[in-house]
Amino acid sequence: MMEERWCEGCGVELQTERPHAPGYVPPSALEREHVICKRCFRIRHYNEIAQVDQDPDVYLQLLDQIAETDSLVVQVVDLFDFSGSWIPGIHRHTGGNDLLLLANKVDVFPKSAKYQKLKEWVYASAKEMGVQPVDVVLMSAAKGQHIKEVAAAIERYRAGRDVYVVGAANAGKSTFINRLLQEYGAGEEVVTTSPYPGTTLDAISIPLNDGRRIVDMPGIVRQDRVSEWVAPEELEEITPKKELRPKVYQLEDQQTLFFGGLARFDFVEGERQPFVCYFANSLYIHRTKLERADELWAKHRGELLSPPKNPDSLPKWKRHRFYLNGREKEDIVIPGLGWIAAGLNPAQVDLWVPEGITVHLRPAIL
Ligand code: GDP
């Protein structure tokens, strides 16, 4: 008989015999100090198991329930993938509730980036998306940067109300919730979480000392970003883990850059100028002449030009044409992959990405 233990995610009694019954954990997991049941594990890693199953309508209905509450909404976005990690129409689904915006993964930004400037950029970008946050905090959930400030902001803005934490899959929401629990001192009562009662929501609720709770909503899966289309081991290759080292290319017109086999950038027309590439340091960038690009692609796709190793697993590439006016710095954004900063001179550029990826221009973040 195993000693009685409880899941730290939902409080259910753990068992190792019946894999499909509540509280199941593989026997090896019991050796760890902190154990959660298989169900909670799956919920926390929702994006990994539900990638193909998630019905966007069901997800949005779930969000709609927030509108009926009087609560604080805490939205986690990935600062490296701002538009790709945004929840479309969030303000329409959460009613008039206050929204605190947490921009995660600030640790991958160059140390020279100014906190205040980034914060202002986040405000302005949120406004473009129709949201006026009560506050913006930049943080690194993984490194624990600014977590105290976040915890204080949550306390201040929730003003005795419940808290709903929302975010797109991969924004770092699970990492953040775990950090927050540590920050709360991981006191027994705080860590014990329970399934959201009376619904089929895969949301986890964490009781707070004043009888209120933090509800961790599942992450929405966005199909319109590159990261959604690569295999897990390739996702590692394109996700920045460390401070970004931007790569500067002084390009002549009629030159091309390949970003692995996931995107192609043609500088079609304009004066020689710098294009600064912000991508995971491990992503291979290949420079060539535009006239050679098609041939190079045909010959080296899936090999030199990878990831992906299997290019046929992706939708066909589609071309998007952009005109940079040369008056202000702009980023050419490939959601879920990175961005190219340009705009010192007028330029016409073509960006090729798998069909369905929503590429766009934005005011420069750095
Ligand atoms: P969720 O899907 O929103 O719950 O996201 P996860 O917490 O599972 O994190 C998604 C990925 O982002 C994982 O590879 C994490 O290691 C990474 N990640 C999370 N927070 C941070 C952060 O603050 N900085 C960096 N560099 N990576 C992070």
Side-chain angles (χ1 to χ4, degrees):
M1 250 291 300
M2 71 184 250
E3 164 202 358
E4 279 183 9
R5 289 184 66 181
W6 288 270
C7 167
E8 291 191 9
C10 66
V12 74
E13 190 174 334
L14 296 174
Q15 51 90 12
T16 53
E17 269 109 49
R18 288 156 298 132
H20 300 292
Y24 176 78
V25 281
S28 59
L30 285 176
E31 285 158 26
R32 297 191 204 116
E33 192 186 340
H34 299 285
V35 188
I36 55 172
C37 71
K38 190 170 148 202
R39 176 174 176 272
C40 283
F41 184 85
R42 288 165 68 116
I43 293 170
R44 287 192 182 179
H45 299 270
Y46 192 81
N47 54 322
E48 288 168 26
I49 57 134
Q51 210 150 18
V52 284
D53 298 344
Q54 194 181 57
D55 175 345
D57 290 342
V58 171
Y59 183 84
L60 294 177
Q61 279 166 20
L62 202 150
L63 269 191
D64 283 340
Q65 299 186 2
I66 299 179
E68 285 150 33
T69 65
D70 176 20
S71 57
L72 173 69
V73 178
V74 172
Q75 187 189 354
V76 181
V77 288
D78 177 349
L79 194 55
F80 177 72
D81 187 20
F82 190 86
S83 61
S85 66
W86 191 262
I87 301 176
I90 175 82
H91 56 297
R92 289 196 298 275
H93 297 285
T94 51
N97 284 309
D98 286 347
L99 186 143
L100 171 65
L101 191 55
L102 306 180
N104 189 30
K105 309 197 188 179
V106 69
D107 57 291
V108 304
F109 276 68
K111 296 263 178 315
S112 55
K114 297 267 181 303
Y115 184 93
Q116 193 54 32
K117 217 178 136 225
L118 282 175
K119 193 168 156 171
E120 279 160 23
W121 184 93
V122 172
Y123 259 118
S125 304
K127 209 165 164 204
E128 281 281 299
M129 307 280 197
V131 168
Q132 195 107 40
V134 289
D135 206 349
V136 169
V137 186
L138 272 42
M139 68 173 181
S140 165
K143 302 271 158 66
Q145 288 165 11
H146 298 285
I147 295 296
K148 282 200 188 332
E149 205 177 322
V150 169
I154 290 178
E155 248 349 86
R156 182 159 69 247
Y157 295 111
R158 85 179 177 89
R161 296 174 296 176
D162 289 339
V163 178
Y164 286 80
V165 184
V166 301
N170 225 31
K173 198 162 58 61
S174 314
T175 311
F176 163 65
I177 294 274
N178 287 326
R179 266 293 166 189
L180 197 63
L181 291 179
Q182 279 175 25
E183 189 55 39
Y184 283 154
E188 254 68 28
E189 327 88 301
V190 182
V191 198
T192 313
T193 59
S194 57
Y196 191 46
T199 66
T200 53
L201 297 189
D202 271 345
I204 305 182
S205 157
I206 303 156
L208 293 165
N209 293 335
D210 59 0
R212 296 289 164 184
R213 56 198 184 138
I214 297 183
V215 181
D216 176 17
M217 306 290 277
I220 188 172
V221 175
R222 298 260 318 248
Q223 301 286 357
D224 56 348
R225 50 182 181 175
V226 174
S227 45
E228 228 55 59
W229 289 93
V230 297
E233 62 280 9
E234 293 176 331
L235 183 60
E236 286 290 305
E237 217 174 309
I238 65 168
T239 306
K241 294 271 180 254
K242 292 203 192 105
E243 185 178 330
L244 292 168
R245 274 183 277 110
K247 298 192 180 91
V248 186
Y249 290 87
Q250 295 287 346
L251 296 187
E252 311 275 352
D253 64 354
Q254 298 293 304
Q255 285 192 316
T256 289
L257 298 175
F258 280 96
F259 298 91
L262 290 166
R264 166 180 153 183
F265 172 81
D266 299 338
F267 177 22
V268 181
E269 207 179 319
E271 277 176 38
R272 178 186 153 89
Q273 57 187 295
F275 292 90
V276 188
C277 301
Y278 292 87
F279 294 83
N281 300 335
S282 47
L283 181 70
Y284 175 63
I285 303 180
H286 187 95
R287 172 181 179 153
T288 187
K289 288 196 174 122
L290 177 53
E291 61 181 20
R292 288 209 53 224
D294 287 341
E295 185 194 331
L296 196 88
W297 174 243
K299 211 160 147 192
H300 295 295
R301 62 203 285 270
E303 290 161 18
L304 176 71
L305 302 178
S306 71
K309 288 265 178 283
N310 175 13
D312 295 326
S313 62
L314 263 67
K316 285 230 164 345
W317 278 9
K318 187 170 177 229
R319 189 183 68 180
H320 304 261
R321 177 155 291 180
F322 295 104
Y323 296 92
L324 306 177
N325 59 28
R327 285 193 295 273
E328 71 230 320
K329 273 178 27 191
E330 289 182 282
D331 295 335
I332 305 156
V333 182
I334 310 169
L337 191 64
W339 70 90
I340 304 158
L344 284 189
N345 279 303
Q348 180 195 324
V349 303
D350 283 344
L351 190 57
W352 302 75
V353 287
E355 179 145 29
I357 306 297
T358 47
V359 292
H360 57 97
L361 285 183
R362 71 179 183 195
I365 188 171
L366 287 171

